[in-house]
Amino acid sequence: MSDYDLIVEIFERLPPKSLLRFTSLSKSWFSHIVCPNFISNHALRAAKNPQKLLIRHLTYFNKHVQNFYTLHSEDRLPLTSRDGYIGITPLDFPGYNFHIVGSCNGIICLYDHEIHKITLWNPSIRRKLTLPHHHSLRDFSSNGPQVAIGFAFDLATFDYKIVKISYTTYGRDAPESSIYTINTGVWRVIAFPTTPLNNVSLACFVNGALYWLVAEPGSIMSFDLSTEVFGTIPLPEPSWEVTQLTIIKGYLAVVTNEGSDSWIWLRREYNNVASWSRDLKLNTGPYEGRISRVLQPTTDGDLVLTTQSEGYIVYDPVKGVRSRLASVKGLSIIVDIVKYKENLVLLNRGTGCNGDQPCRNQS
């Protein structure tokens, strides 16, 4: 192995922050680091690294609503303002009207519900890519087609894909399904799902497929990334009131409510539609209200629950211990948590975003 090859192999193991500095070493190293092959090789190695957490906060400052985010190690959920955010600088979120569609590896998909645009964002390198406008992208309202969006990573083609389904017609609008891939940079039409669609949830990506919870008539719509074919999966029985699709222990999971109790069901066999099993019962506290969302952002088994009255709560299912996620100096509320892995994807495309600046109301 030559000295040059050895240096390249070392560089492929470095964190993005270091590599961004090394792009200024010379024109040749800049060209090499932004090369698609180097970015892909670096992402493959980075996939084995521990995941990190991005927590999105919202605050009201100087009569303005402000979004900002903090980045955390996987084992460092902020349980107190003093310890949870020490040494962590809040940064501006790259937009105001975005909601998070999904997160795959190091890329987060955002949807602006006012101007109807989709943006891919890499918080590790503070770059974003705005997708070309698609005529059927609308807000989730009665004034236009209902739109379901899914974001996934196809390991076979090493490509990020966005699936868009327009499933309600008004006036001249017709139902349509389309897919966008980063490698091609264009939208293309795909076959429309046969599942009757109404009140479709945010998508969940696991085991090479996207899944949406369809509230009416009550089922799960799937989309296989490799075949690009839609399918339908029945809900577990008895399903009672289904509130969410999520990922628990690496499996597709359903959260159901029955009275004051919530259950987590796991689909342990990918090719067996009848493989649902009840995994865990969640009892809410007397003042928490119903559980609307369940996340498993870390590998230690703890769950993050969103309740009607208490917000985000960290729950140890073994010990039954609950603790609150802390706000930043008491100035904010937490509105979302996603997992990501640091990589260089989007370094050779898209634009820089202002997320590299400290939040304006923070010292």
Side-chain angles (χ1 to χ4, degrees):
M1 179 182 294
S2 67
D3 292 342
Y4 178 81
D5 292 334
L6 179 60
I7 293 174
V8 170
E9 188 166 333
I10 293 173
F11 272 32
E12 288 178 352
R13 290 173 165 81
L14 295 177
K17 189 174 182 179
S18 298
L19 290 170
L20 290 178
R21 292 199 303 265
F22 292 151
T23 56
S24 61
L25 287 175
S26 65
K27 289 183 178 180
S28 61
W29 275 114
F30 172 85
S31 300
H32 190 93
I33 292 174
V34 301
C35 172
N37 286 338
F38 181 86
I39 292 174
S40 298
N41 292 336
H42 181 270
L44 286 172
R45 295 187 186 274
K48 302 176 183 178
N49 296 334
Q51 294 189 111
K52 294 196 173 184
L53 301 177
L54 181 146
I55 300 180
R56 182 182 180 182
H57 309 258
L58 184 146
T59 189
Y60 188 76
F61 180 70
N62 284 348
K63 300 182 180 181
H64 295 286
V65 175
Q66 184 180 10
N67 289 270
F68 63 94
Y69 67 97
T70 54
L71 304 176
H72 304 261
S73 299
E74 188 178 28
D75 57 348
R76 291 290 303 276
L77 281 172
L79 299 181
T80 67
S81 297
R82 179 175 59 84
D83 298 329
Y85 295 98
I86 187 170
I88 294 177
T89 302
L91 304 171
D92 279 340
F93 197 77
Y96 300 96
N97 300 311
F98 288 107
H99 71 251
I100 296 177
V101 173
S103 174
C104 293
N105 299 332
I107 306 300
I108 298 173
C109 182
L110 309 171
Y111 179 57
D112 188 316
H113 51 81
E114 286 198 354
I115 61 175
H116 320 303
K117 73 176 180 180
I118 299 175
T119 298
L120 302 182
W121 172 45
N122 185 337
S124 301
I125 59 174
R126 318 288 193 260
R127 291 189 72 83
K128 63 182 181 180
L129 174 69
T130 300
L131 272 58
H133 177 72
H134 194 278
H135 64 86
S136 64
L137 283 175
R138 300 289 190 275
D139 192 10
F140 294 86
S141 68
S142 59
N143 297 323
Q146 300 291 295
V147 176
I149 303 173
F151 176 56
F153 178 71
D154 188 350
L155 186 59
T157 59
F158 208 82
D159 198 1
Y160 292 87
K161 297 182 176 181
I162 298 91
V163 179
K164 179 211 62 64
I165 308 162
S166 173
Y167 61 90
T168 302
T169 60
Y170 289 91
R172 294 179 300 174
D173 295 309
E176 182 180 283
S177 298
S178 302
I179 191 168
Y180 178 94
T181 66
I182 289 185
N183 288 347
T184 62
V186 296
W187 290 97
R188 57 183 171 84
V189 176
I190 55 177
F192 196 78
T194 58
T195 306
L197 302 181
N198 195 3
N199 294 330
V200 181
S201 70
L202 289 175
C204 184
F205 174 60
V206 61
N207 292 329
L210 282 164
Y211 299 91
W212 293 264
L213 177 64
V214 183
E216 299 175 20
S219 62
I220 297 174
M221 178 175 63
S222 64
F223 180 79
D224 190 294
L225 264 291
S226 60
T227 62
E228 297 189 353
V229 173
F230 288 98
T232 303
I233 300 173
L235 290 167
E237 293 292 344
S239 57
W240 300 303
E241 178 191 357
V242 181
T243 60
Q244 182 204 0
L245 286 181
T246 186
I247 302 172
I248 304 293
K249 301 177 182 177
Y251 299 107
L252 180 68
V254 170
V255 181
T256 65
N257 286 325
E258 182 190 21
S260 60
D261 297 327
S262 296
W263 290 89
I264 295 178
W265 300 70
L266 300 185
R267 184 170 178 252
R268 298 181 182 274
E269 298 178 36
Y270 177 67
N271 293 317
N272 183 359
V273 297
S275 65
W276 291 106
S277 61
R278 276 198 295 193
D279 183 71
L280 182 65
K281 183 179 180 181
L282 303 171
N283 297 312
T284 57
Y287 306 107
E288 293 174 354
R290 284 194 168 188
I291 295 172
S292 59
R293 189 180 183 199
V294 179
L295 305 171
Q296 192 174 43
T298 64
T299 57
D300 59 7
D302 286 352
L303 303 175
V304 175
L305 314 178
T306 307
T307 64
Q308 292 176 335
S309 59
E310 295 296 315
Y312 282 85
I313 296 174
V314 180
Y315 174 66
D316 184 334
V318 176
K319 300 179 181 179
V321 177
R322 283 170 158 78
S323 52
R324 286 285 300 272
L325 278 180
S327 60
V328 180
K329 300 181 181 180
L331 298 175
S332 65
I333 61 171
I334 294 174
V335 294
D336 219 330
I337 303 174
V338 293
K339 297 187 286 188
Y340 78 102
K341 291 193 175 184
E342 293 184 325
N343 61 41
L344 297 173
V345 176
L346 302 185
L347 181 61
N348 58 343
R349 64 184 83 213
T351 59
C353 53
N354 62 358
D356 58 351
Q357 298 299 320
C359 183
R360 288 183 291 275
N361 65 327
Q362 303 292 328
S363 59

